[in-house]
Amino acid sequence: MTTFKMAWRNIWRNSRRTLVTVAAMSLALMVTVNYQAIMTGLLSSLEGNILDLEMGDIQVFAPDYRDRPSIYSSVDEVDPMLETLEADGYRVTTRLLAGGLAASDETSAGAMVRGLEPGREAEATLIHDHVVQGSWLDPEDPRGIVLGAKLAKSLAVAPGDEVILLSQSTDGSIANDLYEVRGVLGVISDGTDRAGVFMLDEAFRNLFYFDGGAHQLLIRTPGDVDLGTAVEYLRGLWADLDIQSWRDLLPTMSQMLDSAAAALAVFMVIIYIAIAITVINAMLMAVFERVREFGVLKAIGVEPGRVFRIILIESAMQCGLAIVIGLTLSLPLLWYVSTVGIDVGRLGGASMAGMAMDPIWLGVVTPATFVIPVVLLIFMVALAVLYPALKAARIQPVEAMRYQ
């Protein structure tokens, strides 16, 4: 009888134990595969929203702007920078920033006014797709503005209503003008939601009499360029400017995303440790039940290595069955979480750590969704079966004959 036939026969000698072991491994694999998909989707969504809606990959400021924000502190000679960046495959947009007061018939609130070019902005961010009421900025409508969600609610305004913006222009005069609300954004971040006012670059310059460069450059890196490498490259080009990656600007969020990824790995390890204990217990029971059998095999000349391989093959067969069953059971649930998703908007919030979070969690299915849980399961099962296999291989015929 071949080793494989013997192993296959052996695992079904106690079918109940085999079914319980295979079921435990299948359930663990199904849970980890779907958890991997859900968490990958959540983390990808959070990071995508940070980059696409608010931060970009890299931001450039005048040297002292972040310490002492001022409309007078800007990055000059912007056009040559834009040409250099675009020639290197970077996508970039410029923003003009100033504080002020927004007022309606009902009330008033502090505002962070942002002037931008819609064409460039659409190349670097997706904020234009995040308008939930009305429409985005239009170059044909210089008096149109878009408000953050909470600011619009505080002012009790909607698309079509008028808002007065008050501030101080660069020549010391009072900057004030009447604008029409074109749109209201969905949840982006606490700062943007509470105070964000978006207007055309030209309208901003007219309101504040601002003829300088730009207060902020928001840059997206090419897909094949590492973030750290891109930051160092840009700092080499413009050493006199303040160039920061989004991870530098949002260290808490960056650490949270890294911690969540690590927690995913820890969760899978804990699950598979429990499965490894189950496998050890099942295989030890199988070894102890067959001590006399192994003794006879050793007595007729079967090498310890073959006995060792029999136990390994038995575990491999059970693990293989579990992988097939677990992945098969995972497919319907994977389809659900990746197409329908989990609606967390009903729980009363769509932000995390102050940044936007999609109200529908959609899982992301990649090769890693299957490969990582399967490889980890195989590794843990192989590790767990070593002790029972070694114990079976070291059984002495004389001791086996006396075993009760």
Side-chain angles (χ1 to χ4, degrees):
M1 182 180 294
T2 66
T3 303
F4 285 94
K5 286 184 178 179
M6 184 181 298
W8 180 255
R9 182 203 65 184
N10 289 338
I11 64 174
W12 295 112
R13 290 168 64 176
N14 190 323
S15 58
R16 181 178 298 176
R17 181 171 60 223
T18 297
L19 290 174
V20 169
T21 304
V22 171
M25 289 191 284
S26 300
L27 179 62
L29 183 61
M30 183 183 69
V31 169
T32 53
V33 164
N34 283 277
Y35 187 71
Q36 168 102 3
I38 292 171
M39 290 304 297
T40 299
L42 174 60
L43 297 180
S44 298
S45 174
L46 280 173
E47 185 170 342
N49 285 340
I50 292 170
L51 304 185
D52 293 335
L53 300 179
E54 186 76 1
M55 302 298 295
D57 296 305
I58 301 170
Q59 293 188 9
V60 180
F61 304 91
D64 57 346
Y65 182 85
R66 289 196 303 126
D67 294 329
R68 296 184 297 278
S70 169
I71 194 171
Y72 303 101
S73 181
S74 62
V75 179
D76 299 321
E77 304 297 330
V78 171
D79 289 340
M81 295 177 64
L82 297 179
E83 293 176 3
T84 300
L85 289 168
E86 290 172 349
D88 290 336
Y90 292 83
R91 292 170 291 143
V92 57
T93 184
T94 58
R95 287 183 174 179
L96 308 176
L97 308 174
L101 184 72
S104 66
D105 292 338
E106 301 293 332
T107 185
S108 62
M112 172 55 71
V113 185
R114 308 181 190 187
L116 48 85
E117 301 176 56
R120 286 193 176 277
E121 192 74 21
E123 292 292 325
T125 75
L126 296 178
I127 194 170
H128 58 280
D129 289 333
H130 216 61
V131 177
V132 296
Q133 297 180 44
S135 57
W136 183 238
L137 299 175
D138 186 346
E140 302 299 323
D141 182 12
R143 292 194 174 276
I145 59 175
V146 175
L147 304 181
K150 293 181 180 179
L151 177 60
K153 185 176 181 180
S154 297
L155 298 178
V157 294
D161 294 336
E162 293 182 329
V163 169
I164 298 175
L165 294 181
L166 300 172
S167 187
Q168 182 176 351
S169 62
T170 57
D171 63 358
S173 63
I174 298 298
N176 68 93
D177 212 336
L178 186 65
Y179 296 89
E180 181 179 331
V181 178
R182 283 185 57 85
V184 177
L185 295 169
V187 175
I188 293 180
S189 68
D190 285 344
T192 299
D193 296 345
R194 294 180 184 279
V197 176
F198 294 83
M199 62 168 47
L200 296 176
D201 178 281
E202 182 181 356
F204 182 100
R205 295 182 185 277
N206 291 335
L207 176 63
F208 291 95
Y209 293 99
F210 181 75
D211 296 324
H215 299 108
Q216 178 189 60
L217 273 70
L218 192 150
I219 302 171
R220 304 304 303 272
T221 62
D224 58 346
V225 177
D226 177 72
L227 181 62
T229 302
V231 170
E232 293 305 316
Y233 169 68
L234 297 181
R235 287 174 178 171
L237 291 178
W238 301 294
D240 57 327
L241 297 177
D242 182 13
I243 301 175
Q244 303 290 333
S245 73
W246 73 268
R247 288 185 174 273
D248 298 324
L249 296 169
L250 292 176
T252 301
M253 177 62 73
S254 175
Q255 292 174 6
M256 188 196 75
L257 292 177
D258 292 341
S259 299
L264 171 61
V266 171
F267 172 81
M268 288 196 291
V269 169
I270 291 174
I271 290 291
Y272 284 138
I273 286 176
I275 296 304
I277 294 172
T278 301
V279 172
I280 290 175
N281 179 68
M283 296 312 298
L284 278 176
M285 291 297 296
V287 169
F288 288 135
E289 287 177 358
R290 293 150 55 195
V291 168
R292 287 179 176 271
E293 177 184 325
F294 290 133
V296 171
L297 289 174
K298 298 288 286 295
I300 63 177
V302 175
E303 303 90 346
R306 187 178 180 190
V307 176
F308 184 83
R309 288 196 301 273
I310 289 173
I311 302 301
L312 290 184
I313 293 171
E314 290 177 14
S315 297
M317 287 179 172
Q318 294 179 71
C319 185
L321 284 173
I323 290 172
V324 172
I325 296 171
L327 293 182
T328 301
L329 294 176
S330 298
L331 294 179
L333 191 53
L334 279 177
W335 174 85
Y336 180 84
V337 299
S338 61
T339 57
V340 179
I342 302 172
D343 187 357
V344 295
R346 300 175 182 177
L347 301 180
S351 66
M352 181 177 291
M355 298 301 297
M357 181 181 69
D358 291 336
I360 304 295
W361 285 5
L362 287 175
V364 173
V365 180
T366 65
T369 305
F370 303 100
V371 172
I372 293 177
V374 167
V375 170
L376 189 55
L377 176 63
I378 293 173
F379 173 77
M380 294 300 291
V381 170
L383 197 64
V385 79
L386 285 179
Y387 175 68
L390 286 172
K391 189 163 187 68
R394 296 175 62 183
I395 291 175
Q396 298 299 318
V398 175
E399 296 177 0
M401 295 301 102
R402 294 199 300 262
Y403 182 79
Q404 299 296 327

